[in-house]
Amino acid sequence: MGVALAGAIGYALNIIDRVDGLLFDAQVHVVRALRDPQGALPAGPQVVIVGIDEASLNAQGLPMAMLHAPLGRALEAIAAAGPLAIGMDVALPERSFEHLVPGLDRELMRGLLAARAAAGINLVLDVDADGHPRIPPAPLLAAAGGGQAFGLALFPIDCDGVVRRFDPDPEAASARYGTACTDPEYRPLFSLRLHERRPQEARLPSSDRVRLAVPTFAAGVARRFGREGALAEAGWIDFTRGAAFSYVPLGEVLARSRRDDARGLQELFGGQIVLLGSVLPYLDRLQLPAALSAWEFPGTAQPGVILTAQVLRNAAGAGLLRPAPLLAQLALLAAMASIGLVAGAWLRWWALAGSWACAFATASLVHALGWVLAPGQAMLAGAIAVVARGALDLAAAHRERERLRRRLGGYLSPHLLQALLRGPTDTRGTRCAIALLFADLRGFTTWSETADPEIVRDTLNRYYGRITPLLHAQGGTIDNFRGDGILVLFGAPQAQAQPCDRAFAAACQLLDAVAQMNASELTGRGVPALEVSIGLSFGEVLVGDLGSDERRDYTALGDAVNVAARLQELAKTQDATVLMTRAFARRLSAAPSDLRDLGEQPLRGHSPVAVCGWRPPLPPS
């Protein structure tokens, strides 16, 4: 269930893609911190960046679109140094500026021809807003070597706006990634639509007047040094290999060329992979998982030429990162989902946290070995499994509580039952000031000596059936039934604001219920009318469990309990139905007007106690 929910929720909200992206970035930082950047590079050629920066533009006094002559001279200087491959990550204009500056295109053509003759050159093909390629003027196209010298510098952008992957087929990538992200702000850049063009519309040589299938720019440069196969399949870019890039300013290359510094140029570019591109602050910037430009602040968008340079660094070395085998993904998914089987809620959460840490460590190790193990779906499945198991446990606990409530509801008072269901009670007991009601039937024991036991039981059940709901309604907790006597606690196990008021109200209702029972149920049954004596007291007692581990009762112990029992005994000999201590009477919010102060009265087995007496008005006959 956790696996199914993880897949449904993750793909619906792109949660899995976003989580995997964040985990990929974290793995990049971990592996880069543990790996020697220089030791991770191959011993062969390295990627050297020639950057068009603001200082170079200011020195030339030309806009970017008319930088033909400086670019041509720089290409000639780089070609003369003997590079392994040359890539120009600067799109050529779609229109010629020859009519504005005569000879402008000629300078650039000379540089293109020199680079083509020395090591071959690959150039970026730009696209317009509709996804159609911007074909450069025919002379520049021919000087570069035709359509096969051009490539697309487009990369799939993930939902969070970060570039992490490379795909050699832009058209296939448009279908592969185009619907992966539901956020319209972060659509992949693969929007190129390449169409069959009529010969009269094409400005390509006749040999290129076929379907315009344009490869990627990085793959074209990799072909120059025999590593095109490393970029033949889609994969994740390995950002963990190599130190941050620096660049050689275009102005420095032109200055060395003017000084005929052939040795210096050869030291910079001889046998290397040279990329010429823009490092301007607001042109062609991308968000990357790692800071690969040494001159930029960490966390800022980085020049697109940096991304191409890292892809070429991968091609010259260990290649792109490949997805881990499906069996490994499924094993991780099953392991995470099985956390829901762990017994114990806290243990499951600790197991989930530990498994997340292990999954990240495993994914980082696999990342360092050249594979990508995306743990997002597995981690989400583990979390959902833990939450689902917790929900099932809660439902089972709720069902068990309801079963106990139904089973024990007739044996325990509601407040005590709720306290037991919430958790174990304090077996050591709790001191608290409560009100106590002790009620007993007058003469019932004498009558029951000669009465049929079944009639006695039926009478008591009818009596308790009448008074029990009334006592519970006032918040009373029945301590126990003692034959025809009953002890009720007010203020335990739950504290009450006015326990004496509640106890007195319960006594009044109890007397009314007995009067109604005498009139409606006992008449004609051969049972004498019931008369009740009630003792009320207030004081500090100890409430809690009494007994052994095998059998215990929740009860109250203290002098106030004994006083309540003795008062109901004394009431049988006094002209009062209810006797209460003076301390109890003083705590009544509204004492009855006919309450009588009887002074101190002796109690059996107890010192005298100040007592008040009350008899309710006689009911209608």
Side-chain angles (χ1 to χ4, degrees), residues 366-453:
V366 171
H367 193 127
L369 297 176
W371 302 85
V372 173
L373 180 64
Q377 186 172 5
M379 296 173 73
L380 183 60
I384 293 177
V386 170
V387 172
R389 174 63 186 276
L392 292 176
D393 288 350
L394 286 176
H398 178 72
R399 289 194 299 270
E400 180 65 15
R401 283 197 299 269
E402 288 300 317
R403 187 186 70 83
L404 290 175
R405 191 189 306 276
R406 291 192 300 269
R407 189 174 184 85
L408 301 178
Y411 293 89
L412 300 174
S413 293
H415 295 299
L416 179 57
L417 179 59
Q418 292 175 6
L420 292 175
L421 291 177
R422 284 195 300 267
T425 58
D426 187 359
T427 57
R428 297 171 301 175
T430 303
R431 288 183 175 272
C432 56
I434 65 173
L436 299 107
L437 181 153
F438 199 106
D440 191 79
L441 295 178
R442 295 184 178 182
F444 193 84
T445 303
T446 303
W447 170 75
S448 63
E449 291 178 358
T450 59
D452 189 312

Side-chain angles (χ1 to χ4, degrees), residues 164-182:
R164 301 180 178 92
R165 293 168 293 172
F166 171 82
D167 198 301
D169 188 350
E171 288 188 279
S174 179
R176 187 177 299 124
Y177 307 115
T179 58
C181 180
T182 59

Side-chain angles (χ1 to χ4, degrees), residues 568-586:
Q568 69 82 20
E569 291 179 359
L570 182 63
K572 296 177 182 180
T573 63
Q574 298 287 331
D575 185 21
T577 304
V578 178
L579 288 184
M580 64 187 75
T581 62
R582 188 180 294 169
F584 182 97
R586 289 174 178 174

